[in-house]
Amino acid sequence: MSFRLPVIVLVGTATAAMFGPSFGFIVRSSGGGAASRRLLSAVASARRARPPPTPMSTRLFRRDDRTTMMSTSVGSEVSANRPATAPPSPPPDGGDSGSSGTVRRTAALVLSMAVQRVLPGALRTSFHTPASSADGGFYLDFWHGDGGDGSADGDDKHVLLRERLKREMDDIIARAEPIVCERVTREEARRRVPAHGGRLPDGEDDGAMVSLCTVGGDWWDLCDDVDGGSADGAVARFLDDTGRLDPGAVALTSICRPEAVDGDSDTGPGVVQRIAVTAWDTKADLLSYKKRVGEAHQVAQSFGQLVNWGSGSLDELEYLCSCCSPTDGGGFLSGGPGPKSPRGPLNQKTRLTKESGPKIDTVDKPSTRLASPFVPSKNPGWLRERETIYDTIQSRRDAELALKPHDPIEVTLPDGTVLGRGGSGEHDLLSWQSSPLDVARCISDGLANVAIVARVWHHNRFGPDEMTLAGDGNDYDFGKGDEEGADDGARPGELWDLTRPLEGDCKIQILTFDGGDEAAKAVFWHSSAHLLGQSLEHNYGALLTIGPPIVGGFYYDAYIGDESLSETQFAEIEEEVRLSVKRKEKFERLVVTKDEALELFQYSPFKTALIAAKVPDNSRTTVYRNGDLIDLCVGPHVPHTGKIKAFTTLRSSASQWLGDVKSDQLQRVYGVSFPSKKMLKVHMANLEKAKERDHRRLGVQQKLFMFHKLSPGSAFFLPHGTIIFNTLCEFIRKQYRARDYSEVVSPNIYNLKLWEQSGHALHYKEDMFTFDVEGEEWGMKPMNCPGHCLLFASTARSYRELPMRIADFGVLHRNEASGALGGLTRVRRFQQDDAHIFCEEDQIEAEVIGCLDFMKFVYDVFGMTYKLELSTRPAKALGEKELWDKAESALASAMDDFAGKGNWKENPGDGAFYGPKIDIKVMDAMDRIHQCATIQLDFQLPLRFDLRYRKKGGATAADGADAGGIIEVESDSPSVSDGADDPDDPDSSPELPSDFARPVMVHRAMLGSVERMFAVLLEHYGGKWPFWLSPRQALVVPVGQNFAPYAEDVRSRLRAAGFHVDIDDSTNTLKKKIREGQLAQYNYILVVGEREQENDSVAVRNRMNEQEGDKKIEDVMVEFQNLCDTYQ
């Protein structure tokens, strides 16, 4: 069989997200005949590219400075050699050159070779690199005939495929296979390629020349379509051999889920799968790229994900493929929610977290500034014009709404109560008419009064859906939309305006500000940002850009020309907000087309740029109105402005449009709001307290720790800080002894094969410190769990040994981006009170209760409160649903026994992909939430390492049946457990003999990172450490130099008893010595003079300057020991 596929160009929102907005991508394959044309037609159909988006509006922008947007039609015919829009070929370079083009072309060959080894029979159908080399990226498409779309095997399959491919690529690189490129006839190419799975060339002239690449002398592939090569005789440049690639500089950024194609009688059905890669000269280059990705991610969080860094890079942070955005109207999915409903994605599925339009590119982007001068003015004329246009659009939507069916619906409450159809009959609820606020009133007027927003799970909608709704530029991730194909327990539901009509039968949850769901606060603060924006428009005629909620409040970025805002203007801003609150202006939601949105915001180049960039053609988005403010927004919002009873402006600063210093300067105004003035007062007091208690400031003052630029992210604990650190560890160790844990010490470095078997190499390798040891790649451990699996597997295990509790304070290293480092809360070197429990399935509940009791003891000692949340099976879960259900039931039962029913919360679909977990949210003295402790179940690592134990009643070990997967303790081999036949494929794990079972693994930590807990406690206590944890428990102060020898004797005796005692024998006055001791936060000041020397006593006063009188030294020791024993 031989065929040739024509060159086609596919462009649209998915490609814009993957390669930037300025060009499309190419799908190319060689071969010919009707069979191939039908195959490629099926591939192109599967892509379902959208119509091209409209270029960014250039109103008020200088034409020579505007940002260009992609505008290329689908199916554009281009030259068979090279598309007109593609970048020029790189200049010729030597075979050894490390130029980016040469490196990427070589990496593409290695990837193609790896794919054909992992997926026998796979055919490469495309290769392309972006116009900008800023991300070092390229992608390849492969056809292979596995007979389906691949989704039936679960999302874990394609995730694990990445790891297999990377390992195969590393192996090819390690062998340093020579690469030879030559021009040969089609006939010769056809002779060589078929036997090795390459693409089959065909043509009328068998004597025509093509480029053929040979790797290792026994593997060939065509390279005419590789950048740098063409049919006119030029041969693409490659490195001399695969070994010249740095394996640490090559990363697979994304693998799309397979897309089914029908094929034909020749090819048969199969799938097409896209693989994106980034490749660099050195690992340092890749780390630099990763740093840029981290910076871009931070910018994206502030600017609504408008920043694009190229092929898969932003999404790489979550190992998702950028071409798989849930809003692309088709295309591929990447480990996500499963096949889309034919009805298309729902509104909340696209809100705020993903976008379907092209992004605004910041790579080498020219300046974008307003062309005409801006003069601030109160109540500009375009406010009234905007309202007029809004009213016209609203009349159109009202007419559409009148056609919606008003049928009886069934609404289910969280406790199972059913209202409306199917309920008691007391409440009539209708589709497209009744709202969550009506449901809240059915429950109680009190709930309706305090309600902020609803969370809704529709399972039967009446009437046609609204069209796909695109984003607004604000980026916060509270409450994603329904995931088709998942049950209610595995999806978080849609956030829904209280006044927005319900569309059919649904489950509903009413959220309040202080009800424990962070989504309610985000919605409240988002609504408050609209009030802030309204005030800025009224006071200064500001052109608004984006105004998202953030942790602890909100902000709005606005353009007011060259003016800047200061605290002196906050009063007038807040006065305008007060008037809006007093008017109780309703928040109205309106669906608008892209053209209607452009008309509404024609006065603002910023809003029109957002619309052009984020709203695809032929789709709709939403705007919200309160009073005369009309803003591009996907919502949801509170019912009316009267809900926001307490509002304050915190600060203002300068920012830049899109975070680009070449663009217009904006004013960013921060604020915070609450449903009551009392809550605002408490919050402001806590803000002041937080400034005073910042652990970075207190750490310097108390000489506890330091950092140095020669080892960023790694703390130097000074003597007093080390005392606290060691005391925390010993505090946990004492509990280990009481709770039957066995502490171990495990290696700091491992061969990377360990992390490949565990699966961590796929997710964490780029966050690891890796290095070469005798020709093999090794790494500093970022976590302890794989090493503990080796310990468990080191010998035959019996049910009698379970539960086995293994604890480890090992040093961990994670290669955090430098921009993410911050004090002790985000470091590169740290220790955890890490432990793993290996137990039987029927022991899960008891072990979890034990962990919860451990946690309660720890945080009761610290004087901190906590909340428990059960995070259940996500849509991307690995493992059988039956096992998940059993584990979740055990966790829920344990939490009921520990905390009581109703005293914990469930987070549907928020569990880890490898097992459900209990999130423990701890509140400090300032009511701030910290997540330090954790309890997680893991079904996957025992499978990957083929962990097993002999069940009760099993046969003796004489038959050797338990030898599989065991690592010999004496072996120095770097190989890891044989484990499964294929550790990347859980289904390939060998079946266990009938008398064996796999343990369940429980990951748990009480403190979490000791460094982070150090910082949390330092701020929680405000630097006033309790005696048992204090590094400065007592200061001995002689009243004069004559009593210095006795003071030294007292100090020596107390230190010999194990207490942290210092002496101040300076010539300062007694009063000054005492005062300095109190400022240094010594728990006790022990004054000694003539009387104390005669009585073998000390005069005791505490750090609150309260005198406790004379006490014998022995009595002081007993009192101090009691404080330590009772953790006071």
Side-chain angles (χ1 to χ4, degrees):
M1 177 188 69
S2 62
F3 51 84
R4 176 173 183 171
L5 302 184
V7 177
I8 66 171
V9 174
L10 299 177
V11 296
T13 57
T15 56
M18 190 165 189
F19 293 113
S22 58
F23 55 91
F25 64 82
I26 305 166
V27 176
R28 177 182 298 199
S29 181
S30 62
S36 63
R37 287 192 292 271
R38 289 195 297 273
L39 174 60
L40 188 57
S41 176
V43 174
S45 176
R47 295 294 187 202
R48 300 189 296 277
R50 286 187 179 275
T54 304
M56 182 196 297
S57 169
T58 58
R59 293 185 185 87
L60 300 182
F61 289 95
R62 292 201 303 270
R63 181 170 297 274
D64 59 343
D65 284 344
R66 67 180 183 270
T67 302
T68 58
M69 304 300 292
M70 179 181 67
S71 182
T72 309
S73 60
V74 177
S76 298
E77 304 238 343
V78 295
S79 164
N81 294 329
R82 203 152 183 82
T85 57
S89 299
D93 48 38
D96 293 337
S97 171
S99 71
S100 60
T102 303
V103 168
R104 282 187 287 181
R105 288 191 292 273
T106 306
L109 275 184
V110 172
L111 174 61
S112 185
M113 190 173 180
V115 169
Q116 292 181 13
R117 290 182 174 179
V118 173
L119 300 173
L123 304 178
R124 177 169 64 82
T125 62
S126 76
F127 168 87
H128 192 62
T129 57
S132 169
S133 62
D135 69 347
F138 60 88
Y139 73 81
L140 294 91
D141 283 349
F142 293 90
W143 177 91
H144 54 95
D146 76 348
D149 64 5
S151 61
D153 290 332
D155 294 311
D156 54 322
K157 292 291 187 182
H158 97 281
V159 174
L160 298 172
L161 175 61
R162 181 204 304 250
E163 183 182 356
R164 297 180 63 189
L165 290 175
K166 185 59 170 70
R167 188 168 63 247
E168 187 66 38
M169 290 179 70
D170 290 348
D171 184 57
I172 295 170
I173 293 171
R175 291 199 303 271
E177 304 274 14
I179 301 173
V180 177
C181 294
E182 55 185 321
R183 300 287 290 173
V184 300
T185 64
R186 291 180 181 275
E187 182 179 8
E188 174 66 12
R190 189 183 301 110
R191 184 184 68 80
R192 297 189 195 179
V193 173
H196 298 278
R199 290 163 296 124
L200 302 177
D202 196 6
E204 297 179 359
D205 182 7
D206 283 347
M209 305 297 289
V210 295
S211 295
L212 194 66
C213 296
T214 306
V215 181
D218 63 351
W219 186 89
W220 291 271
D221 200 5
L222 297 177
C223 49
D224 272 339
D225 62 335
V226 177
D227 286 346
S230 67
D232 62 3
V235 179
R237 299 286 183 174
F238 297 87
L239 299 176
D240 283 349
D241 60 68
T242 60
R244 296 183 183 273
L245 286 175
D246 181 351
V250 180
L252 277 70
T253 58
S254 62
I255 299 180
C256 296
R257 279 187 58 179
E259 185 75 6
V261 293
D262 294 334
D264 51 46
S265 60
D266 293 324
T267 63
V271 297
V272 172
Q273 196 155 18
R274 171 164 297 171
I275 302 174
V277 178
T278 184
W280 300 86
D281 291 355
T282 66
K283 182 178 179 180
D285 293 333
L286 178 60
L287 293 177
S288 177
Y289 158 68
K290 180 185 171 186
K291 179 180 178 181
R292 297 203 310 275
V293 170
E295 293 169 348
H297 182 66
Q298 293 177 350
V299 174
Q301 289 180 324
S302 298
F303 293 93
Q305 288 201 0
L306 293 176
V307 181
N308 177 52
W309 282 83
S311 172
S313 52
L314 267 180
D315 289 326
E316 178 193 3
L317 298 176
E318 297 179 353
Y319 302 96
L320 299 176
C321 172
S322 57
C323 71
C324 304
S325 166
T327 66
D328 64 1
F332 298 85
L333 296 173
S334 178
K340 294 185 176 70
S341 163
R343 298 172 1 168
L346 304 175
N347 174 31
Q348 296 300 325
K349 194 167 186 177
T350 66
R351 64 182 298 280
L352 306 175
T353 57
K354 296 288 184 184
E355 61 279 19
S356 55
K359 298 180 181 179
I360 299 175
D361 201 344
T362 62
V363 180
D364 300 324
K365 183 177 71 66
S367 172
T368 303
R369 293 183 180 276
L370 295 179
S372 58
F374 180 89
V375 179
S377 62
K378 284 185 176 291
N379 299 313
W382 46 259
L383 290 177
R384 175 54 55 189
E385 296 173 6
R386 187 176 63 185
E387 282 190 287
T388 301
I389 298 172
Y390 178 93
D391 291 339
T392 302
I393 299 172
Q394 187 175 42
S395 63
R396 299 173 193 155
R397 297 297 98 80
D398 288 343
E400 294 175 7
L401 182 60
L403 301 177
K404 303 286 187 181
H406 299 324
D407 298 330
I409 60 174
E410 179 179 284
V411 175
T412 305
L413 302 180
D415 63 358
T417 301
V418 177
L419 303 179
R421 177 175 54 82
S424 62
E426 299 178 10
H427 310 288
D428 294 328
L429 300 172
L430 302 176
S431 63
W432 296 97
Q433 179 173 313
S434 301
S435 69
L437 191 57
D438 296 323
V439 175
R441 290 185 179 125
C442 291
I443 301 172
S444 73
D445 289 338
L447 177 61
N449 289 335
V450 298
I452 298 298
V453 70
R455 198 183 288 278
V456 177
W457 293 260
H458 277 102
H459 50 266
N460 183 25
R461 297 179 189 250
F462 300 156
D465 286 345
E466 291 178 336
M467 296 178 64
T468 299
L469 302 179
D472 62 348
N474 292 318
D475 179 32
Y476 64 98
D477 186 9
F478 292 100
K480 299 176 182 177
D482 291 347
E483 294 176 353
E484 298 294 341
D487 57 31
D488 288 348
R491 50 191 173 100
E494 303 177 65
L495 290 179
W496 202 270
D497 298 274
L498 290 174
T499 56
R500 179 182 173 187
L502 298 168
E503 298 175 7
D505 296 336
C506 61
K507 175 183 174 182
I508 190 170
Q509 180 184 10
I510 305 298
L511 307 182
T512 61
F513 186 88
D514 53 359
D517 195 317
E518 293 300 308
K521 291 183 178 179
V523 169
F524 189 91
W525 286 331
H526 190 192
S527 301
S528 303
H530 278 235
L531 269 68
L532 174 59
Q534 182 182 38
S535 178
L536 295 174
E537 284 190 346
H538 284 185
N539 282 300
Y540 315 110
L543 298 178
L544 304 180
T545 60
I546 60 171
I550 57 176
V551 176
F554 53 87
Y555 70 80
Y556 221 119
D557 279 350
Y559 180 75
I560 56 174
D562 295 330
E563 301 293 322
S564 61
L565 296 175
S566 65
E567 292 185 6
T568 60
Q569 295 161 289
F570 289 175
E572 62 183 4
I573 292 175
E574 293 172 5
E575 174 61 20
E576 192 66 41
V577 171
R578 188 188 66 80
L579 294 175
S580 177
V581 171
K582 186 177 180 179
R583 292 191 293 264
K584 296 185 178 180
E585 299 166 347
K586 293 182 179 180
F587 278 93
E588 301 174 1
R589 177 179 182 270
L590 183 65
V591 178
V592 299
T593 67
K594 182 173 184 177
D595 289 338
E596 289 170 340
L598 290 170
E599 182 183 10
L600 260 176
F601 300 103
Q602 58 186 300
Y603 63 89
S604 171
F606 302 104
K607 292 296 184 183
T608 53
L610 291 173
I611 295 166
K614 299 184 74 64
V615 182
D617 288 345
N618 303 317
S619 68
R620 295 185 176 189
T621 186
T622 52
V623 298
Y624 275 78
R625 173 180 181 172
N626 61 284
D628 59 1
L629 174 74
I630 300 166
D631 202 3
L632 180 70
C633 181
V634 297
H637 286 285
V638 299
H640 58 80
T641 59
K643 293 279 187 180
I644 304 168
K645 294 182 171 61
F647 179 105
T648 189
T649 308
L650 296 175
R651 64 188 184 279
S652 65
S653 64
S655 63
Q656 303 292 146
W657 170 238
L658 305 181
D660 184 359
V661 294
K662 297 179 181 179
S663 294
D664 289 299
Q665 179 172 297
L666 308 176
Q667 288 295 302
R668 176 172 297 181
V669 184
Y670 291 89
V672 69
S673 59
F674 290 92
S676 72
K677 293 181 179 179
K678 180 180 179 180
M679 296 174 73
L680 176 61
K681 183 178 180 180
V682 171
H683 178 78
M684 297 305 293
N686 283 337
L687 285 182
E688 290 300 316
K689 192 183 298 183
K691 292 179 183 178
E692 298 172 0
R693 296 186 176 205
D694 189 308
H695 78 277
R696 291 164 294 188
R697 186 175 69 89
L698 291 177
V700 173
Q701 287 181 355
Q702 297 189 3
K703 299 179 181 180
L704 301 178
F705 58 85
M706 58 165 277
F707 290 91
H708 196 280
K709 64 181 180 180
L710 294 183
S711 185
S714 300
F716 290 78
F717 281 94
L718 304 177
H720 287 95
T722 302
I723 290 173
I724 299 171
F725 191 98
N726 290 339
T727 304
L728 284 172
C729 293
E730 186 54 37
F731 168 57
I732 296 297
R733 283 194 172 101
K734 187 174 182 180
Q735 290 301 308
Y736 283 162
R737 292 188 285 271
R739 298 173 186 271
D740 200 21
Y741 282 78
S742 298
E743 187 175 356
V744 299
V745 177
S746 55
N748 278 355
I749 62 173
Y750 291 91
N751 190 300
L752 204 68
K753 293 176 182 177
L754 174 71
W755 309 105
E756 291 170 350
Q757 179 161 352
S758 71
H760 289 97
L762 173 63
H763 295 287
Y764 288 102
K765 182 179 178 182
E766 294 180 13
D767 292 320
M768 293 173 61
F769 290 98
T770 58
F771 45 89
D772 180 85
V773 177
E774 298 179 345
E776 292 196 314
E777 194 169 14
W778 289 59
M780 306 286 287
K781 66 177 178 182
M783 67 281 295
N784 287 309
C785 17
H788 289 182
C789 287
L790 296 183
L791 284 172
F792 184 92
S794 63
T795 187
R797 300 293 182 185
S798 165
Y799 72 94
R800 295 185 181 90
E801 299 177 72
L802 305 184
M804 178 183 292
R805 308 180 186 100
I806 300 176
D808 195 333
F809 276 100
V811 176
L812 307 178
H813 288 84
R814 295 182 184 175
N815 191 10
E816 301 282 0
S818 58
L821 301 176
L824 293 176
T825 59
R826 195 72 176 268
V827 292
R828 288 175 174 164
R829 185 269 189 202
F830 61 99
Q831 291 176 249
Q832 288 186 155
D833 64 326
D834 202 8
H836 297 93
I837 303 172
F838 298 91
C839 64
E840 299 181 82
E841 288 183 18
D842 58 6
Q843 295 173 333
I844 291 176
E845 183 174 343
E847 289 305 304
V848 170
I849 290 177
C851 292
L852 290 171
D853 181 72
F854 194 167
M855 178 275 303
K856 181 179 186 300
F857 173 81
V858 169
Y859 288 99
D860 282 350
V861 167
F862 293 153
M864 303 172 80
T865 58
Y866 56 86
K867 295 180 180 178
L868 302 179
E869 298 181 358
L870 173 60
S871 297
T872 59
R873 182 173 57 89
K876 296 184 290 184
L878 300 181
E880 296 296 327
K881 183 176 184 299
E882 181 181 356
L883 181 58
W884 275 83
D885 291 343
K886 185 175 181 179
E888 289 171 5
S889 176
L891 291 182
S893 178
M895 294 170 75
D896 283 341
D897 290 345
F898 176 76
K901 290 186 177 181
N903 294 324
W904 54 273
K905 173 188 169 185
E906 182 175 339
N907 288 331
D910 201 35
F913 72 91
Y914 50 77
K917 61 179 180 176
I918 297 177
D919 292 320
I920 302 164
K921 296 184 176 179
V922 180
M923 276 71 73
D924 64 11
M926 294 170 283
D927 292 327
R928 297 179 304 178
I929 295 176
H930 306 278
Q931 190 160 337
C932 302
T934 186
I935 303 171
Q936 301 183 13
L937 299 190
D938 190 340
F939 311 129
Q940 298 308 310
L941 281 184
L943 188 65
R944 281 180 168 269
F945 285 90
D946 192 21
L947 303 184
R948 56 180 70 184
Y949 65 91
R950 189 175 296 281
K951 296 188 292 187
K952 186 175 183 179
T956 65
D959 57 6
D962 58 345
I966 302 303
I967 293 108
E968 296 295 336
V969 177
E970 297 82 9
S971 174
D972 292 327
S973 171
S975 64
V976 294
S977 166
D978 293 337
D981 293 340
D982 182 353
D984 298 324
D985 185 355
D987 292 340
S988 72
S989 180
E991 291 188 9
L992 292 174
S994 60
D995 52 350
F996 281 86
R998 295 205 189 281
V1000 175
M1001 190 174 183
V1002 181
H1003 303 253
R1004 51 105 295 188
M1006 299 296 110
L1007 305 179
S1009 161
V1010 182
E1011 283 80 354
R1012 176 178 169 79
M1013 180 54 67
F1014 189 113
V1016 169
L1017 291 175
L1018 179 53
E1019 296 183 359
H1020 173 63
Y1021 294 128
K1024 297 182 179 181
W1025 299 98
F1027 183 87
W1028 74 273
L1029 195 52
S1030 176
R1032 297 179 173 89
Q1033 293 174 327
L1035 177 68
V1036 183
V1037 177
V1039 298
Q1041 290 297 312
N1042 293 338
F1043 305 103
Y1046 175 65
E1048 180 59 40
D1049 178 65
V1050 171
R1051 171 184 175 274
S1052 298
R1053 291 162 65 185
L1054 290 174
R1055 286 177 66 88
F1059 303 111
H1060 308 302
V1061 183
D1062 298 316
I1063 184 173
D1064 185 353
D1065 56 1
S1066 67
T1067 58
N1068 291 332
T1069 64
L1070 177 62
K1071 185 176 181 180
K1072 185 174 183 179
K1073 290 179 183 180
I1074 293 174
R1075 179 57 179 162
E1076 288 182 347
Q1078 292 169 341
L1079 292 176
Q1081 299 303 329
Y1082 281 92
N1083 298 77
Y1084 292 96
I1085 310 296
L1086 308 180
V1087 180
V1088 295
E1090 182 178 2
R1091 182 178 60 187
E1092 289 77 20
Q1093 183 173 332
E1094 291 175 353
N1095 297 330
D1096 194 33
S1097 66
V1098 292
V1100 180
R1101 68 171 72 202
N1102 58 37
R1103 65 181 165 203
M1104 304 304 295
N1105 203 27
E1106 298 170 341
Q1107 298 188 33
E1108 298 184 8
D1110 284 0
K1111 296 182 180 181
K1112 293 285 188 179
I1113 300 297
E1114 293 300 325
D1115 293 338
V1116 169
M1117 290 182 181
V1118 171
E1119 182 178 339
F1120 281 5
Q1121 189 60 51
N1122 181 64
L1123 291 173
C1124 290
D1125 292 342
T1126 56
Y1127 301 109
Q1128 298 182 54

